[in-house]
Amino acid sequence: MELVKDLPEVFEEFAEQRKNSFLAVKELKDQGVPVIGVYCTYFPQEIVMAMGAATVSLCSTSDETVAAAEKTLPKNLCPLIKSSYGFGETDKCPYFYFSDLVVGETTCDGKKKMYEYMADFKPVYVMELPNRQSEMGLKLFREEMIRFKEYLEKMFNREITEDAIRDAIKTNNAARRALRGLYEVMRSDPTPISGHDLFKVLYGSTFKFDRAKIPAEIDEVVQQIKDDEAKGNERKSKPRILITGCPIGGATEKVIKIIEDRGAVVVTYENCTGAKAIDKLVDEEEEDVYLALAKRYLEIGCSVMTPNPHRYELLGRLIDEYQVEGVVEVILQACHTYNVESGKVRDFVKNEKNIPYISVETDYSSADVGQLDTRLSAFIEML
């Protein structure tokens, strides 16, 4: 990436990264590089990196294959699950097609059962994720890291050494630091870029197969943003919004667009595509690499955890650091875990942080754009 490019062009490059990497994943396969398809932020990337394999996020944010999935799965199921299964079953996702293995996790009940169906046409490995962030949960997850490592060694006939895992930890931590440096530009008021442009880079970076190259690319983007900001281009302060809740991307970007079309700016994302995925680093000084990985990943604040203190810790910190004036929680239809937890999130935001909160429920269609526009417009006007 070259600094001579205009910022809008840079952002569009990242927005198109998912499509641009279709050819790259085929080239990896042709070179004999194992490709591991994943869905969840709890997935320990470093173990796969230590094997010399590539990790790719699988298609799951469009309603294109939902109808096909509903021939097997219930209609009143989370659209993310139906989209994930549909893209796999129909072979409309190149990443799924080229994946040698799909790795799932025991998060919500819908995904766990979906993996059983998926295993009929693709090798699937399901990691055992504890439902409590306790000492017992940490012990279990550490053992699961080792079990997963041994499974990969056997399946691909490759040794995964602890030294290689340590190198991967350092590489991935460097990528996380760079991405944190990117989303921290939104602390400025007014913000130097839009929340949608920030999202394009965060989401697009998940389709970069060589994690070692991410810091240099992202640092260039950050420097260009700062250079552009230093020119003193006139910007307007806008109501500052934090988005939390279910994973967003693809079809659910409609929420970001509505918020920013109505005069506000999304300054930070707490959910999986944003801060939640890159806020914590793996302890590079911990002698036990499996314990270090288990600690880092188990601290992710997802609603599948009971209780879920890390989510509120991150939410509170982001609200303070980014001068957030309103919180929008995006909940996918039939996502029971996030839906049930939304009451506690609402109370935390309104009673402890003393700022407005709104919850919107949506799916991957465009049928509710008008309704979303009406509700979010009223919320922003109130701010």
Side-chain angles (χ1 to χ4, degrees):
M1 189 173 300
E2 300 175 1
L3 288 175
V4 294
K5 293 181 180 177
D6 293 332
L7 271 174
E9 186 179 351
V10 173
F11 295 139
E12 287 310 311
E13 277 189 6
F14 276 92
E16 294 298 314
Q17 186 62 48
R18 176 177 163 271
K19 293 179 181 177
N20 295 340
S21 293
F22 287 163
L23 182 59
V25 74
K26 181 183 182 302
E27 291 174 351
L28 288 174
K29 288 288 291 183
D30 292 342
Q31 296 165 13
V33 176
V35 176
I36 312 297
V38 302
Y39 292 105
C40 186
T41 312
Y42 282 113
F43 173 76
Q45 294 175 313
E46 291 81 358
I47 294 178
V48 167
M49 292 168 63
M51 188 179 69
T55 298
V56 61
S57 297
L58 298 176
C59 310
S60 61
T61 59
S62 164
D63 65 352
E64 180 183 350
T65 61
V66 165
E70 287 176 345
K71 295 177 182 178
T72 303
L73 303 177
K75 286 184 169 57
N76 61 341
L77 190 62
C78 163
L80 185 150
I81 297 172
K82 291 189 290 186
S83 179
S84 301
Y85 182 80
F87 273 110
E89 186 186 39
T90 61
D91 264 343
K92 289 187 176 181
C93 175
Y95 295 134
F96 190 96
Y97 177 81
F98 286 115
S99 291
D100 298 291
L101 175 70
V102 170
V103 179
E105 65 300 313
T106 55
T107 48
C108 72
D109 290 341
K111 288 178 75 175
K112 286 187 290 187
K113 303 308 290 186
M114 183 266 288
Y115 292 133
E116 292 182 22
Y117 285 106
M118 189 174 282
D120 290 338
F121 50 84
K122 196 74 171 181
V124 175
Y125 180 93
V126 179
M127 294 193 71
E128 184 75 25
L129 176 70
N131 59 15
R132 296 177 66 86
Q133 293 157 326
S134 62
E135 285 300 317
M136 289 184 64
L138 181 60
K139 180 181 177 182
L140 184 153
F141 209 36
R142 177 190 176 276
E143 293 172 354
E144 189 61 20
M145 296 289 169
I146 297 173
R147 189 168 76 94
F148 177 51
K149 187 266 299 189
E150 292 174 346
Y151 178 89
L152 292 176
E153 287 179 321
K154 183 177 180 180
M155 179 175 180
F156 294 99
N157 193 27
R158 297 190 179 197
E159 182 184 9
I160 302 174
T161 67
E162 291 188 12
D163 285 342
I165 294 175
R166 287 191 181 92
D167 289 341
I169 286 172
K170 292 176 182 178
T171 298
N172 223 15
N173 275 349
R176 292 186 183 109
R177 289 189 189 97
L179 289 164
R180 276 163 43 172
L182 170 68
Y183 73 71
E184 285 173 358
V185 304
M186 302 301 280
R187 290 179 178 178
S188 298
D189 187 11
T191 61
I193 60 174
S194 73
H196 198 194
D197 285 336
L198 170 67
F199 182 82
K200 289 173 186 176
V201 181
L202 293 175
Y203 184 64
S205 68
T206 64
F207 296 97
K208 297 277 187 178
F209 299 131
D210 189 346
R211 301 287 291 175
K213 292 182 178 179
I214 288 179
E217 292 188 3
I218 298 300
D219 288 347
E220 281 190 6
V221 175
V222 172
Q223 188 58 54
Q224 193 169 354
I225 291 171
K226 290 179 178 179
D227 290 345
D228 188 66
E229 188 178 19
K231 294 176 183 177
N233 296 332
E234 187 174 344
R235 292 182 175 86
K236 181 181 178 183
S237 185
K238 300 177 181 179
R240 301 170 66 84
I241 302 295
L242 176 151
I243 290 183
T244 184
C246 293
I248 60 172
T252 46
E253 287 183 53
K254 61 188 174 185
V255 176
I256 306 172
K257 187 175 186 303
I258 290 170
I259 290 171
E260 300 204 321
D261 283 350
R262 293 295 169 254
V265 59
V266 180
V267 293
T268 186
Y269 301 88
E270 183 271 338
N271 40 20
C272 294
T273 320
K276 189 181 292 184
I278 50 183
D279 182 68
K280 301 282 186 183
L281 302 180
V282 181
D283 185 356
E284 297 178 16
E285 303 302 320
E286 172 63 61
E287 291 185 11
D288 185 338
V289 292
Y290 304 108
L291 180 60
L293 289 172
K295 283 181 177 178
R296 187 270 169 192
Y297 283 96
L298 196 59
E299 285 188 358
I300 293 172
C302 178
S303 65
V304 298
M305 293 293 166
T306 304
N308 188 17
H310 294 294
R311 184 181 183 191
Y312 303 103
E313 185 276 328
L314 179 57
L315 261 177
R317 184 154 43 87
L318 292 175
I319 288 170
D320 294 341
E321 292 177 359
Y322 290 81
Q323 307 166 62
V324 172
E325 298 172 81
V327 170
V328 175
E329 181 159 24
V330 179
I331 298 175
L332 295 174
Q333 289 177 1
C335 180
H336 301 308
T337 51
Y338 272 100
N339 209 354
V340 171
E341 194 169 84
S342 65
K344 286 186 174 292
V345 173
R346 178 195 62 226
D347 292 344
F348 173 80
V349 172
K350 296 180 71 173
N351 300 333
E352 292 197 33
K353 307 309 292 184
N354 298 310
I355 60 174
Y357 163 96
I358 186 174
S359 171
V360 294
E361 189 173 2
T362 187
D363 61 9
Y364 289 166
S365 74
S366 58
D368 62 348
V369 168
Q371 180 188 29
L372 289 172
D373 194 350
T374 299
R375 294 192 63 209
L376 291 170
S377 294
F379 181 72
I380 292 166
E381 284 181 19
M382 176 186 66
L383 298 179

